[in-house]
Every structure is written in C-alpha cells, then in structure tokens.
Amino acid sequence: MGILEKISEIEKEIARTQKNKATEYHLGLLKAKLAKYRAQLLEPSKSSSSKGEGFDVMKSGDARVALIGFPSVGKSTFLSLMTSTASEAASYEFTTLTCIPGVIEYKGANIQLLDLPGIIEGAAQGKGRGRQVIAVARTADVVIMMLDATKGEVQRSLLEKELESVGIRLNKHKPNIYFKIFNAEVLFREDCSPDEFIDVIVGNRVYMPCLYVYNKIDQISMEEVDRLARKPDSVVISCGMKLNLDYLLEMLWEYLALTCIYTKKRGQRPDFTDAIILRKGASVEHVCHRIHRSLASQFKYALVWGTSTKYSPQRVGLTHTMEHEDVIQIVKK
C-alpha cells in the first residue's frame, strides 16, 4: 500500500470514528500517523529527474514572499505590475509553469516576490506541480494568497486545506509547549489542541503570516467588496484597473516586519540613500553584524537618533533595540 492509500485509509477512519473522551487517544494516534505520512509525501522522489526543475530559485533580497493561488486569478499580472519582471499572463489556465522571481523595491528594501504555478485541488498529494510549489512556499517569510473575488470563499478554504495538510500554518503562532523525551516530560504553557501537540512532536511545521488578496474587485458589487475588505488579514485589489495596490504594499511591509536603519559617520550627515534592512526587534549588535562581521568585537558604543531613544542622540550598547528609520553612529574601541 502506497503513502496516498495509507493517508486515504486513515482519513476515512478518522471520519467514521465518533469523537468523545473514549476515542480521544485513538484519534490522536491516527492524527500522528497522518502527519507522519503527509511529511513523507513532501519528500522529493529519488527517481525523479526533474523534481526541482524551474523551482531552485536562490533566496535573495531582504525578504521572500510567495505568491500562490489557483490558476488564472491574476498572479502573473500582479508580478508584472509590482516588479520589473514580465511574467506571461493569459486568459487560459496554467500560463505559469515554473517559479518566476521578481523584486519589489519598497522603502529601501528589496523584497523577492515568487510567482508560483497555479495550485490545483490535491496539490498536497502531488497533483500538478503541487509538491514543488508547496516546498517553495515553506521557504517564504510571508505568503500572499491571491484569490478571485468573483468566486467567493471557495478558493480560500481549499487552499488553506492544502497548505494545512502539509504543515503550513497561516496566521497562527507556534504552540507554547515544551517537551523532553526521557520519561516524556511535557509542559503545556497554554491551552493547546491535540493537533497542535502533534505539530510540536513532528517538528517540521512552518508558521508564517499570510495576506489574503482578493483580485478582480471591479467585477463584483460594492457591498461584496466591503465585506471582503473587512475580513481579517485581507486586502481587496484589481490588477486590471490597478486599484488599491499601494495599500497592499503597506500591508505587506507590516506583515514582513522589516525595519530600515540608517548609518552616520562622525561629523557627516546620515546616509538616507542606503538603508540597512533588518527584522523588527533587531538590536545594535545585529546592525554591527550586517555592516561587518568583525565590527561587534571592536564595538565601544553607539549614538542613536530616532524613536527608540529617550533623547537624541542617546549613547547605547549592543543590546539596544532599534526602531524603524533610526539613525546610528558606531564608535569603535
């Protein structure tokens, strides 16, 4: 019996098993087996010669965003609008057959945007190029899920199901559980479900923010646009009419949690043309490492101007947390 057949059998058994206290242990074992088989399913086949063809895109820039969705929802048009990359777009499905990278230049940051081939139902089981698409999506910092606003919620629920089944958790935090396998020491630091506990044991789950982008809003009513726009983690746009793309960029920046830091040499004005891009919460030590790997060892103190300080400039140490658009001058020993 192959992996797909084993997964199908377990899913059927879970569906027909009554859910109560007496069956909790049995259901937990079944879910653990299911998670194990689904993880094996994503492993590349040794006999496949084209397993990574067109998908081995080197990670570059300050952050990576994966653009996923069903065929013909406007992903290629979006990539062409937001970057200088021309991705083939047409009215028929499956125009994009490989992973096409582009770069969004925004607030001094270079954000790598990957236009992935359209996912079809059953991608997690390897249909279409599902395995490769999902494997690339797992390496992203943020997922943009492009949806056709004219098709309601069907696409969103199907895509979420596909990604959930292979261990991609969207807009969820990692369960706060500690476990140590000697005599099974387990510490729950919060209320968690059996599925979340299995996630911790399996250990290969990816937790990432996701923006649900509803395209083609020019083809639906204003009432429907308003309803979709009010949904959590959602943005409404029209690639065809170039509507609301600026707001989408603002939301993307927020979800990536990036920070621009500017440097200043002694006696000179700050260099606002070349920002250092770091993750939100980065310290002065992170800035030093980004400038040069040996700078932290030569560090004496830093002068910082900006919202992270009580007064400007403020003399700070390596542990000081930087904030967006702070200016820093590093003094060496």
Side-chain angles (χ1 to χ4, degrees):
M1 186 184 292
I3 294 178
L4 287 176
E5 289 77 13
K6 290 178 181 178
I7 289 174
S8 179
E9 287 298 317
I10 293 173
E11 287 177 337
K12 288 176 183 176
E13 187 170 350
I14 290 175
R16 63 173 175 258
T17 301
Q18 288 188 345
K19 295 174 176 61
N20 53 54
K21 286 190 176 181
T23 61
E24 277 183 356
Y25 177 74
H26 178 63
L27 285 170
L29 289 178
L30 290 175
K31 289 178 178 179
K33 286 182 180 179
L34 191 61
K36 176 184 174 183
Y37 288 136
R38 281 175 172 167
Q40 289 177 5
L41 192 64
L42 270 187
E43 294 174 2
S45 172
K46 293 180 181 178
S47 61
S48 174
S49 60
S50 61
K51 58 188 176 184
E53 183 181 348
F55 283 82
D56 51 348
V57 177
M58 184 179 292
K59 196 167 186 177
S60 66
D62 301 296
R64 169 177 275 195
V65 177
L67 185 59
I68 67 169
F70 283 103
S72 297
V73 294
K75 300 190 305 299
S76 298
T77 304
F78 179 76
L79 180 80
S80 300
L81 285 172
M82 306 305 289
T83 74
S84 58
T85 304
S87 182
E88 186 180 352
S91 58
Y92 52 88
E93 296 187 345
F94 299 105
T95 313
T96 303
L97 299 176
T98 61
C99 178
I100 300 175
V103 177
I104 299 174
E105 296 178 359
Y106 187 67
K107 293 187 177 181
N110 291 323
I111 302 168
Q112 186 182 47
L113 180 65
L114 300 181
D115 178 15
L116 298 173
I119 287 182
I120 60 174
E121 198 172 352
Q125 280 70 47
K127 292 183 180 180
R129 301 201 72 175
R131 291 189 192 182
Q132 296 100 320
V133 172
I134 290 169
V136 172
R138 288 172 66 93
T139 69
D141 299 299
V142 168
V143 167
I144 287 182
M145 187 181 290
M146 186 73 75
L147 304 164
D148 188 334
T150 65
K151 297 186 177 179
E153 300 299 314
V154 178
Q155 290 186 342
R156 175 170 170 169
S157 59
L158 288 174
L159 282 172
E160 285 177 336
K161 182 181 177 182
E162 292 292 329
L163 297 179
E164 281 277 332
S165 69
V166 291
I168 297 178
R169 307 293 185 245
L170 301 177
N171 296 325
K172 293 180 181 178
H173 71 277
K174 191 173 183 179
N176 193 2
I177 301 172
Y178 164 80
F179 80 99
K180 192 175 181 181
I181 300 181
F182 284 106
N183 290 313
E185 179 186 345
V186 181
L187 174 61
F188 284 76
R189 295 192 177 100
E190 62 183 8
D191 291 335
C192 296
S193 68
D195 294 301
E196 289 175 318
F197 182 51
I198 291 169
D199 281 356
V200 173
I201 300 297
V202 173
N204 66 346
R205 301 321 193 207
V206 177
Y207 295 82
M208 61 176 64
C210 174
L211 268 175
Y212 300 97
V213 179
Y214 292 89
N215 188 22
K216 306 181 184 180
I217 58 169
D218 52 301
Q219 300 177 27
I220 59 176
S221 66
M222 285 301 296
E223 291 77 14
E224 182 66 2
V225 171
D226 184 65
R227 186 187 72 82
L228 294 174
R230 293 179 184 276
K231 294 177 71 67
D233 309 303
S234 299
V235 180
V236 293
I237 67 166
S238 170
C239 289
M241 299 187 70
K242 300 180 182 179
L243 298 175
N244 214 28
L245 297 178
D246 288 341
Y247 177 67
L248 172 55
L249 277 178
E250 290 178 21
M251 290 290 289
L252 181 58
W253 179 266
E254 183 180 328
Y255 276 57
L256 285 169
L258 297 177
T259 303
C260 289
I261 308 296
Y262 300 105
T263 57
K264 177 186 178 302
K265 293 182 180 179
R266 185 174 181 179
Q268 297 183 18
R269 300 178 69 85
D271 183 5
F272 292 116
T273 63
D274 187 18
I276 295 174
I277 308 298
L278 297 169
R279 296 288 174 184
K280 193 172 289 185
S283 66
V284 171
E285 186 173 7
H286 290 116
V287 177
C288 290
H289 288 312
R290 179 60 67 88
I291 296 171
H292 195 276
R293 60 187 178 185
S294 66
L295 187 56
S297 61
Q298 301 171 352
F299 179 87
K300 186 176 182 181
Y301 65 88
L303 296 174
V304 176
W305 293 256
T307 57
S308 69
T309 61
K310 294 179 181 177
Y311 46 87
S312 293
Q314 181 176 331
R315 181 168 168 165
V316 300
L318 285 172
T319 59
H320 177 77
T321 301
M322 304 293 290
E323 292 185 3
H324 185 55
E325 295 187 337
D326 276 358
V327 175
I328 185 170
Q329 176 186 322
I330 296 173
V331 179
K332 297 191 288 187
K333 294 176 182 176

